Amino acid sequence: QDLTTVDNEKRQKAEALYHSLKSSQMADLIILFLEALSDRNRSELPHSSKLLTCILLRRAVVEEYESTFLQLNSNQKQLVADGLMFCIERERDSHVRCKLGDVCGELGDLIMSENGPDSWPQLVEYAMAKCMSEDPAHREIGLVVLKPIAGHLAQSFVDKSSEINVTTLVSLCQTCLLDNSNNGKVAISALLVAQSVISVFETDASEILNPVIMTMFRAFNNLFLCHLHDNQIISEAKLCLFLEILIEIAEDKPMLFVSQLNLLFDPIVALLNKSSNDAECAPQSVKLLLLEFLVELCESSPKIVRKIKGTRGESLFASKLVPLCLKWMAVREVVAGWEVAVTAEEAESEEWGSLSEVGESAVSRICSSLGVRSSYKVVSTEIAPYLTSDQWQCQVAGLRCLSLFLEYSAAIPDAALLTMHRREVVETLTLFATNKEPRVRATAYFAISQFFLFHRDSLAAGHHADPLLKVAAEGAAMNYNASPRVRRHALIALISIVDCSQYEYLEQRAPQLLSLLCSCLQEGPLLVQEQCLSAISSMVESLRGSDIWASCYSNLMPLLKQLLDFAQAGASDGTLPVFGLKVLECCAIVGDAAGRDVFVADCMGIMKMLVEMRQLPQEDSSGDLRHDNEVAVLKVWVQIARCLRAEALPHLNPVVAALFRLLSIDVRASPEQLSRLEAEKDDEDDEDDEDDDIEMVETADGNWVAIRCSAVEEQSAACKLTLLLVEALQEHMYVHLPALHEHVKHMIDSPHEDIRSYGLVMVPELIRCTGKAAAWEALNNSNITNKKDSVVERVRGALPHCLEALIKAVETESTLELIMTGLQALRQTVIYACTNWIEIVVNEANNAVSAGNKMKFETTPPTSSNRLKVLSHQQMCDITLCSRTVLRDSFQRRAVLRAEGQVSGVRDDDDVDDERNFMEESLELHNNVAEMVGTLFKMHGAEYFPVYMEQWHEIIHNASQPFCLKEDRQFSYYVISDVIEHGLGNNHNNHVQNFAAQYFGLVMDLLIAVCANNAPPPHGKHHVHNEDSGDIQLKRTCCYAIGIAAELYPTEFAPFVQAALQALWVCVNAGDAEGPGSRGPTTDNAISAVGLILESAESLSSASACGKTFNFVWGEWLSYLPLKDDVDEGGKVIAQLVRLVNHKHSALVGQRDRLIMTLSILLMVIDSEEYIPGGSNTPLSVQCKECVGGLLTLAAGFSIKSNSRSPESSPDSVSFSQWLAPFLCDKLRNIVAELGNSQLQQYPLYQQQQQFAASQGGCFDGSPLATAPIFDVIMR
């Protein structure tokens, strides 16, 4: 009793006595608690003291079960058990009695969890007897005790480990559910018991559980009717509590309710549609929970729910619930002064928690669950009358519904329907963006943002963008919109357009947009200026690398400085307000884009100002950042560091320390916070919103934990800034690397997936930081003789922890997105580990002057010529096993999806869409796995081949068979091509084993068969059939693999030459995606492979026997050049052509017609980026020009009447050079001129050209001699 007194002295003595007894005489203390609650002390102990005693008793025997109760001897345990039931029996206060019942039931749960349901039979008998009592109070307490142990009793029936009959429990639940006594407490307690029983069973126990499911709704109906009759007996809170428990059951076992939907759906919808004028209208809170129940079923079992159709074949859920939600969304009140919002918080505040917000959430969840096929027609039909209404509330509701649906309409499978939908959306939004009502305009701008966010694939190239860009820009201007709130929405829409637009489209419109944003910055108010800063930052990100920032710097930076001066002048305590920090951040972002040379002076000034104003991150006595502005300060400092790099280092220690503090905070809710939340739930009158910051999330291992949203937000910002800082400073962060390692480990173990994602991405940066720091140290230390080995050893020391963390994360993550992030991080870690950092830092030092204006934070991946083989055999095995696990789990998920489709009944179009979407996601995941395998081969070559053959080959070979899914075959052929290109050893290195012959015997028949559109022939027999069973993408990959095999391993490939050439020509004749005769990337790869095979085969001594055949094939190969659909292959083929011409290959330059074709091809590709990546500035383009000069020399010896070369032309024949001269194009004359005067005399064609020019009265250098381009002549 003294523990609850207001007398401090008494309370402190009582607390000291309590802690003394707890530490030394816990058993006696528990007995004291029970005696205090017994009958003889009832008159002496007040209600508050009894409640405190119950709490302390629960803490002792339940929360500290292992350290207290289990330490008691058997007599003491029996005394506690009997004492609890005795106290319950004697207690008359219902609140205290229920608290004791909770303690008794929870203790029984712990005992039965350890020893089985038969370990406390007296408790079971006591609870069952109480439940069957005629006294409602006894029934209630019996159900309270039974709830925690009911699951054990039901599980014993399922396991057949006990004689307990579950039908008794079910029957008991049914009886008590229909009992409205004790103000509905009996029915609610019975529902909790039923929840415990149901949680044990699988969905196939419907025969046992269906009766109790229907009884639940009868019970709710009884409670609801009783509430209508007298809301003092059954309160609204009791109805809501009943429904909340029902929703929890539906989340756990949705199929039990879905099977009864034909009986439940219509009555619930009818109750939801009753208006407030109806006498039987339910309270709004009850309606919200009923809707939540239906939406929860829709989300839990979408495949079955969407098959429930209405009378016209439409989705019943969508057709009934979307109209209801729209009606709720139109419930919006007129708010005075809505247009004039001062802060961003005011501008973002809508009717949160209101009926309209609930309706929006429900529409979004329904559309997401049912899919676009089931919801498109319903949503389109239902929003039409709202958009045509003359009431602004209805227009806003229609636009909000449209904006929500845009997320899902991007997946409309019919291309024509999708195009029409997008056109209609653009017309609608363009119209409403000019509406007279400010809230309608603001909603239209919000819809524009959503449109660009989810339909960016259509809008990136500028389709539909212009009209929406125009209205958004007009909406941001002050002369069009006086409302700051509306202008802010228009600027948000403008940012969405900027983020989604293609580089070229945006660069053309950037000057006008920047002019608009500068005007808005000058005009204000603050709400608009803040959004303008965000828009400028967004434009910088979208146009990074553009010269526009250097050119506009002189106009934009002074304006930003004016705003900074304004913000600084208004700083009362000497520190910048949030707006000033946002201006600073924008200055740093613009300066970084403009280039270091342009920005360095201003950047130094900004840093000096921050230091003088003591604008450095500081912590208070609790260790937290001093105020909310500190995150904004960190953003500015990170941008400064990205620009100044080493020059900012002296001031960065407080920045790094602040970031590390944020990275180390625990985002989990503390036990004290959870206890407060539990207490608030018990107090029905408590309206505190302290739990708004707490959210339940699922961790990587499948558990659920409570987290603090505010802490997650702060830590996410710190993770992003830390990543940017490490990317920019690289080796300069090495001094902080030990601490950073620990923080990254903490991030990867975070319960929130955003934090885990940042942690995964950070791991490769640790290796890059280590490698570059070790390289600089080795170069600057003359005592280190073998500098490369020194760096490798340092990287190898850091690598195991990084690989272990990534592999564990990839294997335990459950979401595809994080699995792929982990795989990409693992792949990048391997690349950085194998990079020659000595070579990298030397190149960076040499290029520092030229690269100073545009800082580059990327590192060029190593190639086979400069890679370092760093991974151990065990590490390669571990990474391989991790990749295999990912692939295995993906196959299992696909099998489960297909099984679910079969269980749900006849497959419909939505099922097909679901499977297609899943396959697309799986294909992306499989591509990541293939890239991981390819990276191991690229970095370690043939050293990885034995590991591959042991762990991968059987899987890949089986997946490549014709009877497998196309997606699996594509994955397998990607891997096979990487094995051939990077993993079979080097013919020129005697120290590396060559596995080509072994591997070609296993896979080459498969590759050839795909190109020839047929099943593979028996092993060892190379022939081609004409069965059509191929795929364009598969053939493209296989063509590439065959070409690489022939190029790298001509000897081992020799047995397959004839079959491969036949198959490739079948592939070429079959055409690309558009059918026979069409050209595309696949035919380009086939033609490229043909050239490589011919060249490699001719390098063998045995190839002379095929000379005539090869000569004909060379001509066919030449006729397909140049290639332009696959630019990479096109460049390779041109390089091969140049190489062959320089070696005077007889099949290309030994005949007049072939020489003409070769010359025309080279003329066509010179300076053209369509055929040569990079155009005229590349070495290949220069080689082509030199090659043309060599062809001109060869051309001088040909006669127009003879195909043979002869040093002396016959008198009656015309020289080929003379015949060619009138048709020389300008490009050819320019190329000849580029070769220089000193080289021109060696070309006889030059003199003949001069003679021809003189005969025409012109001159070589100035007269337009060409009457047609040479390739036009050849075509004729």
Side-chain angles (χ1 to χ4, degrees), residues 85 104 108 112 116-132 142 145-146 149-150 152-153 162 164 169 172:
M85 290 188 285
C104 193
M112 292 181 185
D118 296 328
S119 55
W120 195 354
Q122 299 90 341
L123 181 65
V124 178
E125 294 173 4
Y126 175 80
M128 298 292 285
K130 287 293 179 183
C131 290
M132 297 175 184
V145 174
L146 187 60
I149 64 174
H152 294 288
L153 303 181
S162 174
I164 296 173
L169 282 174
L172 181 66

Side-chain angles (χ1 to χ4, degrees), residues 680-982:
E680 290 170 8
K681 290 180 180 177
D682 289 341
D683 188 354
E684 296 180 3
D685 298 327
D686 195 333
E687 297 181 357
D688 193 0
D689 293 333
E690 223 176 298
D691 62 336
D692 289 347
D693 190 43
I694 305 297
E695 178 184 345
M696 298 298 295
V697 296
E698 188 175 9
T699 61
D701 55 7
N703 295 321
W704 289 85
V705 299
I707 61 166
R708 295 177 292 135
C709 298
S710 57
V712 170
E713 186 177 349
E714 289 181 358
Q715 197 169 71
S716 295
C719 289
K720 181 179 180 180
L721 293 174
T722 304
L723 180 60
L724 292 173
L725 193 65
V726 175
E727 286 177 345
L729 297 182
Q730 296 180 14
E731 67 273 13
H732 301 298
M733 283 292 290
Y734 185 73
V735 66
H736 302 289
L737 204 61
L740 192 57
H741 266 288
E742 292 302 316
H743 290 303
V744 169
K745 182 179 177 182
H746 176 71
M747 291 160 62
I748 294 176
D749 293 335
S750 171
H752 199 277
E753 61 181 21
D754 289 350
I755 309 298
R756 298 202 299 274
S757 178
Y758 278 117
L760 295 173
V761 175
M762 192 88 74
V763 172
E765 296 302 321
L766 303 180
I767 298 299
R768 177 160 69 163
C769 176
T770 301
K772 292 193 73 174
W776 281 113
E777 181 181 335
L779 289 172
N780 293 327
N781 189 342
S782 58
N783 294 325
I784 299 177
T785 55
N786 196 327
K787 301 183 184 302
K788 185 184 296 185
D789 288 349
S790 170
V791 176
V792 168
E793 287 307 310
R794 185 84 65 85
V795 171
R796 279 180 173 157
L799 192 57
H801 298 295
C802 295
L803 292 181
E804 180 183 356
L806 288 173
I807 289 172
K808 179 183 176 182
V810 171
E811 291 179 342
T812 56
E813 284 293 351
S814 57
T815 61
L816 287 181
E817 184 176 355
L818 278 179
I819 293 172
M820 287 189 283
T821 300
L823 280 174
Q824 291 161 5
L826 186 58
R827 175 173 168 269
Q828 193 63 52
T829 299
V830 172
I831 291 174
Y832 282 160
C834 299
T835 297
N836 186 343
W837 291 109
I838 294 288
E839 182 178 303
I840 292 292
V841 298
V842 168
N843 290 339
E844 286 184 359
N846 292 337
N847 298 329
V849 176
S850 60
N853 191 42
K854 301 286 185 182
M855 290 309 301
K856 181 181 178 182
F857 304 128
E858 297 81 12
T859 299
T860 304
T863 63
S864 58
S865 61
N866 64 356
R867 68 191 176 193
L868 301 176
K869 299 177 180 180
V870 173
L871 297 183
S872 67
H873 178 82
Q874 186 58 49
Q875 287 171 337
M876 289 190 286
C877 290
D878 292 342
I879 295 172
T880 301
L881 184 59
C882 171
S883 304
R884 282 184 55 189
T885 302
V886 170
L887 189 67
R888 179 202 64 198
D889 293 344
S890 177
F891 287 162
Q892 289 178 351
R893 283 192 295 270
R894 185 173 66 192
V896 169
L897 178 69
R898 294 191 166 187
E900 288 177 349
Q902 293 177 354
V903 170
S904 63
V906 180
R907 282 165 54 86
D908 58 13
D909 291 338
D910 289 306
D911 292 327
V912 175
D913 290 343
D914 286 345
E915 189 169 333
R916 184 184 67 248
N917 293 335
F918 179 83
M919 291 301 293
E920 290 175 356
E921 293 176 351
S922 298
L923 186 60
E924 185 178 357
L925 177 64
H926 297 175
N927 287 341
N928 276 272
V929 174
E931 287 177 357
M932 185 72 253
V933 178
T935 297
L936 289 171
F937 273 120
K938 291 173 185 175
M939 298 300 106
H940 289 76
E943 290 185 9
Y944 180 61
F945 186 78
V947 179
Y948 168 84
M949 292 300 293
E950 179 183 350
Q951 299 197 30
W952 266 125
H953 174 69
E954 184 178 357
I955 298 172
I956 299 301
H957 191 266
N958 291 338
S960 65
Q961 300 301 319
F963 49 78
C964 291
L965 293 175
K966 179 182 70 176
E967 293 80 8
D968 294 349
R969 297 180 72 200
Q970 183 64 64
F971 160 76
S972 66
Y973 288 125
Y974 277 148
V975 174
I976 289 172
S977 67
D978 277 335
V979 176
I980 294 173
E981 185 171 7
H982 306 288

Side-chain angles (χ1 to χ4, degrees), residues 1245-1265:
L1245 180 60
Y1246 181 74
Q1247 289 88 11
Q1248 296 166 9
Q1249 180 79 356
Q1250 293 280 34
Q1251 294 170 7
F1252 179 81
S1255 68
Q1256 298 294 317
C1259 63
F1260 175 74
D1261 295 326
S1263 300
L1265 299 176

Side-chain angles (χ1 to χ4, degrees), residues 372-373 376 408-418 909-910 913 916:
V372 68
R373 288 183 184 273
Y376 173 71
Y408 315 106
S409 66
I412 293 175
D414 187 297
L417 183 61
L418 179 59
D909 291 338
D910 289 306
D913 290 343
R916 184 184 67 248

